[in-house]
Amino acid sequence: MSSPLVSVAIATVSRHKYLRRAISSVLLDTSYPNVEVVVYAGDPPRPTIKVLEEMAQSDNERLRFIVGPRGPPPVQFNRAIAESRGEYICRLSDDDFLPAESIRHRVEVLNADPSLTAVCGILQAAESDFGTHPPIDDTHVCLSELWNRNYVSLCSYLVRRRPDYIFREDLKLAEDMEMLFRLSSIATVKWIPKVVYIHDCLSSSRLGMADAQANKRETDTVLQMYKECRCHCGKLPSDGQALPPITGWFVRKATWVHQPQDIA
């Protein structure tokens, strides 16, 4: 198997207690060593700088960090992506982490099919939070169904580098969901039935999504992307299907909230 360079982009400010775990989950995974971690730190406090300096000293060839002005998440992720060099790119939140072999599993699928733009998989909640997903065997289901079943998130996407893999910087809370629907509408994305991302569901993130309900522009943008989304099997939500609310989507990814009969 060829081993193209994979860039993992992280944006951070002050979650130094979790940042070390996030970076280590990439660099210590011996199943796929050809990786780089690029961290953009926005006006970080000293403890965050200390973690980055200590880890870069141990592996300065595969870990690079940029310190700059603090900005919304899409701005900071875009800066990290712009500094990356890999043929494949994935996003990792500073409070989450990757399970063993996560990158290898997705690289194998992308390498095997040049027509694919991205590969995604199951996002699982950390043991300390909401629990895990029930199993799913059907690998040919549409994106809208996978999202309703809590099995897909942009965090789980490994993307073949492309110029339009840029987060909308005018969206401060829903930029990842907008990117998910945009990519899935214009590119070929394959889902694999493997856990490839561990989400810690920090309380600050869940509370932060309350602002999304008040921000009507962002909510409307994301829901419109959901309606327009097309996926590899060409299945769309029915006109009468109620769309899941944008608020609570962190919880939605970590719990079984729809019964199968509720899914179009």
Side-chain angles (χ1 to χ4, degrees):
M1 180 187 77
S2 63
S3 302
L5 178 65
V6 173
S7 297
V8 180
I10 299 177
T12 192
V13 178
S14 58
R15 289 176 174 165
H16 56 278
K17 294 180 180 179
Y18 301 93
L19 181 61
R20 187 184 298 274
R21 179 183 64 179
I23 296 172
S24 296
S25 72
V26 179
L27 298 182
L28 298 182
D29 184 357
T30 57
S31 70
Y32 197 88
N34 193 22
V35 296
E36 66 167 6
V37 177
V38 182
V39 181
Y40 182 91
D43 291 332
R46 181 58 197 166
T48 300
I49 292 292
K50 183 178 179 181
V51 167
L52 290 169
E53 289 177 340
E54 289 177 354
M55 299 194 76
Q57 188 173 14
S58 300
D59 198 339
N60 59 12
E61 292 186 359
R62 298 194 301 161
L63 172 60
R64 293 181 291 124
F65 65 92
I66 306 100
V67 176
R70 182 174 180 176
V75 174
Q76 297 197 172
F77 274 112
N78 283 343
R79 300 299 180 273
I81 292 169
E83 294 291 330
S84 68
R85 301 169 297 195
E87 180 180 343
Y88 300 156
I89 309 168
C90 66
R91 162 178 167 156
L92 176 60
S93 294
D94 58 358
D95 56 325
D96 299 337
F97 57 99
L98 301 183
E101 301 186 282
S102 166
I103 292 176
R104 182 180 68 82
H105 287 316
R106 289 176 287 170
V107 167
E108 287 177 350
V109 175
L110 273 181
N111 281 349
D113 188 349
S115 70
L116 292 178
T117 294
V119 174
C120 60
I122 297 173
L123 179 147
Q124 180 172 294
E127 293 181 1
S128 60
D129 214 310
F130 295 103
T132 60
H133 295 285
I136 186 170
D137 297 321
D138 185 4
T139 59
H140 191 73
V141 291
C142 74
L143 177 67
S144 60
E145 184 169 352
L146 288 172
W147 188 49
N148 280 350
R149 291 192 185 194
N150 314 313
Y151 281 93
V152 66
S153 140
L154 184 77
C155 295
S156 74
Y157 274 43
L158 181 68
V159 180
R160 201 183 302 273
R161 183 178 290 277
R162 50 187 294 144
D164 55 356
Y165 186 63
I166 300 173
F167 294 98
R168 277 184 50 174
E169 296 185 357
D170 61 320
L171 298 178
K172 297 181 180 180
L173 295 170
E175 82 289 346
D176 51 352
M177 298 182 78
E178 187 275 336
M179 172 66 81
L180 185 156
F181 298 132
R182 174 156 46 96
L183 263 184
S184 300
S185 297
I186 64 177
T188 304
V189 179
K190 183 172 184 179
W191 177 82
I192 58 174
K194 294 181 181 294
V195 175
V196 297
Y197 194 95
I198 309 296
H199 180 49
D200 212 351
C201 286
L202 287 181
S203 58
S204 59
S205 297
R206 295 199 303 273
L207 292 173
M209 287 309 296
D211 294 335
Q213 190 173 35
N215 192 331
K216 187 175 186 301
R217 178 179 58 81
E218 289 202 22
T219 302
D220 288 347
T221 296
V222 172
L223 292 184
Q224 185 61 33
M225 294 300 297
Y226 182 91
K227 292 176 183 178
E228 295 174 355
C229 178
R230 287 168 174 79
C231 52
H232 68 278
C233 61
K235 189 175 178 182
L236 288 169
S238 63
D239 291 340
Q241 181 184 9
L243 298 175
I246 185 70
T247 54
W249 72 277
F250 275 96
V251 178
R252 182 176 305 280
K253 290 188 294 190
T255 55
W256 181 272
V257 294
H258 286 286
Q259 296 300 318
Q261 61 266 27
D262 296 330
I263 302 172

